[in-house]
Amino acid sequence: FIDPDPKQIDLSARLKARAIEFHTGTYAEARTELNLQQQLEILRLGAEQASHLGLHVHMGHGLNYVNVKPIVRIPFVEELNIGHAIVSRAVLVGMVQAVRDMK
């Protein structure tokens, strides 16, 4: 679980990690369109770098039914961790519907 920082990505590869998960909290908390786009670009560049180093790329933290849409368009991302949003919605609509809505 790292920030999408080039140094942290390089170190993860040198430590022979198989996969990394980028912390998407900064993206999830972006309040302006400019900051949102900047954070998406940081995540995109990090995913590209990590993939080129042979790392499996995962992302998560603060993702929900609305803000996950741009994230799924980022190449090289293999897994998203969005359990909190799904489980929270499942309380109201059931797990099957909550997962269906996320898909």
Side-chain angles (χ1 to χ4, degrees), residues 16-63:
K16 303 200 185 307
R18 292 186 204 162
I20 54 174
E21 180 174 338
F22 288 144
H23 181 267
T24 55
T26 304
Y27 160 77
E29 294 172 3
R31 296 294 172 241
T32 67
E33 186 61 30
L34 177 60
N35 189 239
L36 182 75
Q37 293 307 315
Q38 290 170 333
Q39 294 306 316
L40 278 171
E41 181 64 6
I42 289 168
L43 290 165
R44 187 193 67 74
L45 291 171
E48 183 176 355
Q49 177 188 357
S51 179
H52 283 65
L53 291 171
L55 297 165
H56 296 275
V57 180
H58 307 168
M59 294 188 184
H61 188 82
L63 298 177

